[in-house]
Structures are given as structure tokens and as C-alpha cells.
Amino acid sequence: MIKTKKFQLTKNEYFLFIIRILLKKQWWFYAFMLFLSIAILFKDKKDSLDVFMIVFGFLFPTITFFRYWRFANSKENENFFREMQHEIFKDKIVSTVGEISESTIDLKSFIKVLELNDLFLLYLSKDQCIYFPKRIFETKEDENWFRNEVFLKIKNK
């Protein structure tokens, strides 16, 4: 069993991690749109479809990032930014949010995992996950224990 440090996710951290997840899944689409728009931009003769593709190619990623920024900064997401702490066992995770809320989740409830450079994500459903920034582990040994006893077990099931 390990116990993490108390931590709070900031709105900027939350925004950056949902953008990284989006780009991890769909980077090729955004890269293709930007490449196509730039290629058409340098074309000599442009018709109305070319102008539309240029505008769409630059506006769509911008609007998408803005939507995610609005979502991350929404007042409806205040629970994401409360102080929390996790107690991690080999078979369950006990999370304490704020002073009064505590929940226990069996490891069998997780359906998939994702690791980013500074973050572990354990998914309960397609759109719902629990996040573990790597900075919350007391020691490198705790992080390695978590990776071996929890993360890899869920990943390999």
C-alpha cells in the first residue's frame, strides 16, 4: 500500500492534459489539415474551394483548442480542482477529495490505462478517468510500485 501526497490539479494542467490526449489520438488529422492548408496557401491560382480549405484548415484546430480551453475553465468542473489524495492498494484505490468525500474503486473496475510523460490515467469508462500526476508519489519506488502493481496489471488484463 502506498499513500500519495495531497495535490490539486490546476486548470492549466487539466487543459494541457486533455489537449495532449486529443493530440495523441488525432495528431495525424490536425497535421494533415494544416499541411493541406499551407500547401493550398502557396498555390498560384485559388478558387473558392481552396479559400474554404485554407480557412477551415486553420480555424478548425483553433476552435477545437478554444472549446477544450472553455471546458477546462468551466465552473462545472470545480471538482477536478479540489485537493485530493489517494491510498493505493493491490486491489483497490481509496481517493479522498477535499475534507469530506471519500470513494473506493476496485481495480477490476478499470477498463484501460494511458501513460503520458508526467501523468498516469486509469479509465473507468471511455470518457471517465482518474488521473495520477507522477509528482504526487512520495518516492521513485512508490511510482515504480504503482506502475508494476496497478498500472501494468490493468493494462495487461
Side-chain angles (χ1 to χ4, degrees):
M1 190 273 305
I2 60 171
K3 192 170 191 173
T4 65
K5 298 175 190 174
K6 290 184 178 184
F7 70 99
Q8 276 184 287
L9 194 63
T10 65
K11 290 180 179 184
N12 190 44
E13 282 178 314
Y14 182 59
F15 171 68
L16 290 175
F17 104 63
I18 60 176
I19 289 296
R20 288 188 330 205
I21 292 169
L22 170 73
L23 291 176
K24 189 172 181 104
K25 293 178 181 176
Q26 298 179 349
W27 67 268
W28 57 271
F29 177 68
Y30 291 101
F32 176 74
M33 282 189 1
L34 290 172
F35 174 76
L36 189 62
S37 296
I38 291 170
I40 294 171
L41 187 63
F42 291 108
K43 185 175 156 184
D44 287 335
K45 295 182 180 180
K46 297 175 190 74
D47 60 11
S48 59
L49 180 62
D50 292 339
V51 173
F52 172 77
M53 286 302 296
I54 292 169
V55 171
F56 182 78
F58 287 110
L59 236 92
F60 183 75
T62 306
I63 291 170
T64 301
F65 285 98
F66 178 70
R67 280 184 35 233
Y68 277 92
W69 180 85
R70 273 192 36 215
F71 176 76
N73 288 288
S74 170
K75 291 185 183 206
E76 296 173 0
N77 292 329
E78 289 301 317
N79 286 335
F80 285 117
F81 311 118
R82 293 194 178 164
E83 182 177 75
M84 39 175 94
Q85 185 173 26
H86 302 291
E87 287 182 64
I88 305 164
F89 299 87
K90 287 187 177 190
D91 61 339
K92 65 183 176 184
I93 296 174
V94 178
S95 300
T96 307
V97 180
E99 299 284 325
I100 55 172
S101 177
E102 184 174 291
S103 63
T104 302
I105 302 170
D106 195 307
L107 288 186
K108 295 174 186 168
S109 301
F110 295 104
I111 58 169
K112 73 176 187 174
V113 293
L114 179 65
E115 182 177 4
L116 301 174
N117 289 340
D118 59 343
L119 186 70
F120 293 107
L121 299 169
L122 306 179
Y123 283 85
L124 290 162
S125 68
K126 183 179 177 184
D127 297 324
Q128 183 182 11
C129 69
I130 298 179
Y131 50 90
F132 294 86
K134 292 181 180 178
R135 65 181 159 81
I136 68 170
F137 295 103
E138 294 285 344
T139 64
K140 192 69 174 166
E141 289 79 25
D142 286 352
E143 182 183 331
N144 289 334
W145 184 89
F146 175 80
R147 179 180 282 112
N148 294 327
E149 296 296 328
V150 176
F151 186 83
L152 292 176
K153 281 184 181 177
I154 296 168
K155 186 175 185 175
N156 295 328
K157 74 174 182 173

